[in-house]
Amino acid sequence: MRAYLDAMDKAAAIAPPLQEPPPTVLAALGPQMTALAAARTAGAFPYNVTPAHTARAIVGPDKWLCVEQKVLLVTDPTRAREVARQTLAFYMPLANYRNNWLRLGFSEEDLTDGGSDRFLDAMVAWGDASAIQQRVQEHFDAGASHVCIQALRPDGHPLPDWDALVALAP
């Protein structure tokens, strides 16, 4: 990643000048990538994280910490966990996410059979708008500068849930 950032810096140096160059942030889960993001970029973008991860992601006061939070405007726990399990199934076998979840205190048992209720509830903020807003606020309280919400649909369809986005809009 250091070599990539070096190459990006070299490319920017010979590219036509921009009025305002776009900021670079790194997708960062672990402490080493987060430290690199803090040292070399405008900040970090951790994905599939909890407020506990946000609190540990030290990037400094002048850097962005743009965390992702999946949200689901559903109050039925069974349905919420079904959608969460379906959504997270893609990420469960990926080592970078599994390692990060283990660092956060989840066990291998939490990550088997589609995920424990504790794990699913931690990864997807579900409930009414107030409950979801509380989780988003937990990220801000833990140090996030931005919280990027991924609004899951109650029917499990991959497109965003516009009703949830409207309900959560300021």
Side-chain angles (χ1 to χ4, degrees):
M1 185 53 67
R2 283 176 179 73
Y4 172 78
L5 291 173
D6 291 344
M8 292 295 290
D9 290 344
K10 285 179 185 175
I14 60 171
L18 297 173
Q19 202 168 27
E20 188 174 324
T24 299
V25 296
L26 290 183
L29 290 176
Q32 290 180 347
M33 190 65 83
T34 302
L36 181 61
R40 296 279 309 268
T41 73
F45 175 56
Y47 185 82
N48 274 331
V49 297
T50 64
H53 181 278
T54 301
R56 295 180 191 174
I58 308 301
V59 293
D62 61 333
K63 301 290 182 166
W64 292 352
L65 181 55
C66 313
V67 302
E68 178 267 354
Q69 175 64 66
K70 289 172 184 54
V71 301
L72 180 59
L73 198 56
V74 168
T75 56
D76 174 51
T78 301
R79 183 66 192 142
R81 290 172 183 143
E82 286 171 1
V83 173
R85 189 168 281 114
Q86 174 187 337
T87 300
L88 291 167
F90 174 81
Y91 304 98
M92 297 297 279
L94 301 177
N96 60 326
Y97 292 112
R98 289 185 79 83
N99 291 338
N100 192 57
W101 295 327
L102 293 170
R103 273 193 302 268
L104 285 172
F106 294 105
S107 67
E108 283 293 344
E109 186 175 288
D110 284 318
L111 305 179
T112 60
D113 298 325
S116 68
D117 288 353
R118 177 177 92 92
F119 171 74
L120 297 170
D121 294 349
M123 297 312 302
V124 177
W126 57 268
D128 62 15
S130 177
I132 294 170
Q133 288 167 337
Q134 180 178 339
R135 174 75 65 80
V136 169
Q137 187 61 48
E138 289 174 18
H139 280 288
F140 284 119
D141 293 346
S145 56
H146 299 72
V147 179
C148 311
I149 62 170
Q150 182 179 357
L152 306 178
R153 286 177 38 157
D155 63 6
H157 193 279
L159 292 177
D161 181 3
W162 291 104
D163 292 335
L165 293 173
V166 169
L168 296 170

